[in-house]
């Protein structure tokens, strides 16, 4: 009888420990990012990573399920371009133009992890590293000669993250933003030619400007999730 009770207590203890381990999961990440930003448009039509500028910011991720996360980011960055760096891509009248712009960005994207991501001693489908893709809207905010400007864009990209410790994550990400306007590179009267230089009109989405980020990030897990017992899995 005593042996039966002892075994029962041991089973109960193991179950409680399993529940505690399962419960020690987190559904959020918060951290910092840093890297470079660059521009593509009429002053740089094709080449990536030309005239790079520092980009810094913060990000927040919220776990939706085992594969999907929603990411919010806030960053400060700058872009520039100079047509003299691309003699093969002449503007009408063979004129040259250059610009530089700093801005803030607020973004929200959905991330799809290639694998279940995290640390688990019992779930063999959970990996401590994964690649991911992202898609969502962003908003660039800056000052122009007309006052404050807000430029929405469609953001998409790829990334890779690695769980360094139980709650610490590191990773890299490269993402591009397709703006819904062609005057992001117009900062004064001397570079107005960069707005629709070929006369295709603002409705021509393919001729609108781009900017991109390439950065590394460091995040810390937050928001503990109430887990379920392993015996129910």
């Amino acid at each position: 009888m005593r042996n039966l009770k002892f075994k029962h207590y041991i089973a109960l203890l193991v179950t409680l420990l399993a529940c505690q381990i399962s419960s020690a999961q987190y559904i959020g990440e918060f951290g910092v990012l840093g890297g470079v930003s660059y521009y593509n448009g009429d002053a740089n039509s094709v080449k990536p990573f030309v005239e790079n500028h520092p980009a810094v910011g913060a990000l927040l991720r919220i776990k939706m399920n085992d594969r999907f996360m929603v990411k919010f980011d806030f960053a400060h960055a700058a872009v520039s371009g100079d047509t003299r760096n691309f003699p093969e891509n002449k503007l009408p009248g063979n004129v040259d133009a250059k610009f530089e712009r700093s801005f803030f960005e607020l973004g929200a994207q959905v991330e799809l992890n290639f694998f279940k991501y995290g640390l688990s001693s019992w779930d063999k489908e959970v990996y401590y590293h994964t690649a991911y893709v992202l898609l969502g809207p962003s908003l660039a905010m800056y000052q122009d000669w007309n006052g404050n400007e807000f430029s929405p864009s469609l953001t998409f990209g790829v990334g890779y993250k690695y769980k360094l410790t139980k709650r610490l994550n590191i990773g890299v990400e490269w993402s591009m933003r397709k703006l819904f306007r062609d005057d992001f590179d117009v900062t004064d009267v001397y570079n107005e030619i960069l707005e629709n230089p070929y006369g295709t009109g603002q409705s021509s989405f393919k001729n609108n400007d781009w900017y991109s980020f390439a950065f590394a990030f460091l995040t810390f897990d937050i928001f503990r999730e109430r887990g379920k017992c392993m015996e129910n899995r």
Side-chain angles (χ1 to χ4, degrees):
M1 186 68 176
R2 288 183 178 180
N3 289 337
L4 183 61
K5 288 184 177 181
F6 180 74
K7 291 180 180 180
H8 178 74
Y9 290 143
I10 292 297
L12 179 61
L13 179 61
V14 170
T15 300
L16 290 174
L17 288 174
C19 288
Q20 181 65 28
I21 293 173
S22 179
S23 296
Q25 304 294 323
Y26 296 85
I27 60 172
E29 299 175 31
F30 181 77
V32 295
L33 62 87
V36 297
S37 54
Y38 65 91
Y39 147 92
N40 291 107
D42 295 309
N44 173 14
S45 59
V46 292
K47 293 183 180 179
F49 298 103
V50 176
E51 298 196 28
N52 299 314
H53 294 265
V56 294
L59 63 88
L60 171 68
R61 287 190 174 98
I62 302 297
K63 179 181 177 181
M64 305 304 293
N65 56 39
D66 289 334
R67 299 282 296 278
F68 283 93
M69 302 191 78
V70 175
K71 182 186 72 178
F72 303 93
D73 64 77
F74 182 75
H76 179 263
V79 292
S80 63
D82 191 335
T83 58
R84 291 173 296 182
N85 295 328
F86 305 95
E88 72 281 1
N89 185 28
K90 284 293 184 180
L91 296 176
N94 290 328
V95 299
D96 288 310
K98 62 180 180 178
F99 83 100
E100 183 171 347
R101 181 186 296 287
S102 62
F103 60 96
F104 291 95
E105 186 201 77
L106 183 63
Q109 297 98 40
V110 174
E111 295 180 348
L112 170 61
N113 295 329
F114 286 12
F115 308 107
K116 292 182 179 180
Y117 176 71
L119 288 179
S120 176
S121 59
W122 57 270
D123 191 344
K124 302 305 180 183
E125 294 183 356
V126 174
Y127 291 81
Y128 61 87
H129 64 98
T130 184
Y132 63 90
V133 293
L134 62 98
L135 177 69
S138 295
L139 183 69
M141 300 165 285
Y142 52 92
Q143 283 194 328
D144 221 332
W145 63 64
N146 295 322
N148 296 326
E149 291 286 343
F150 302 91
S151 296
S153 63
L154 178 64
T155 299
F156 55 92
V158 296
Y160 175 83
K161 54 187 175 181
Y162 181 92
K163 184 161 283 294
L164 196 62
T165 67
K166 183 178 179 181
R167 297 181 66 181
L168 199 61
N169 312 274
I170 59 173
V172 292
E173 183 178 301
W174 179 35
S175 54
M176 305 178 69
R177 283 105 173 120
K178 180 63 170 176
L179 290 156
F180 293 92
R181 60 194 303 168
D182 192 34
D183 60 352
F184 190 63
D185 44 15
V186 177
T187 57
D188 55 49
V189 295
Y190 300 103
N191 52 37
E192 285 183 311
I193 183 67
L194 294 174
E195 181 180 1
N196 191 27
Y198 303 103
T200 56
Q202 288 286 355
S203 61
S204 182
F205 182 71
K206 68 177 183 179
N207 293 309
N208 291 344
D209 297 323
W210 299 72
Y211 68 91
S212 303
F213 288 159
F215 58 75
F217 60 82
L218 176 68
T219 62
F220 186 73
D221 289 352
I222 57 175
F223 305 141
R224 177 171 289 189
E225 178 185 27
R226 178 178 296 178
K228 298 180 181 179
C229 289
M230 286 170 48
E231 67 175 4
N232 295 328
R233 293 180 181 269

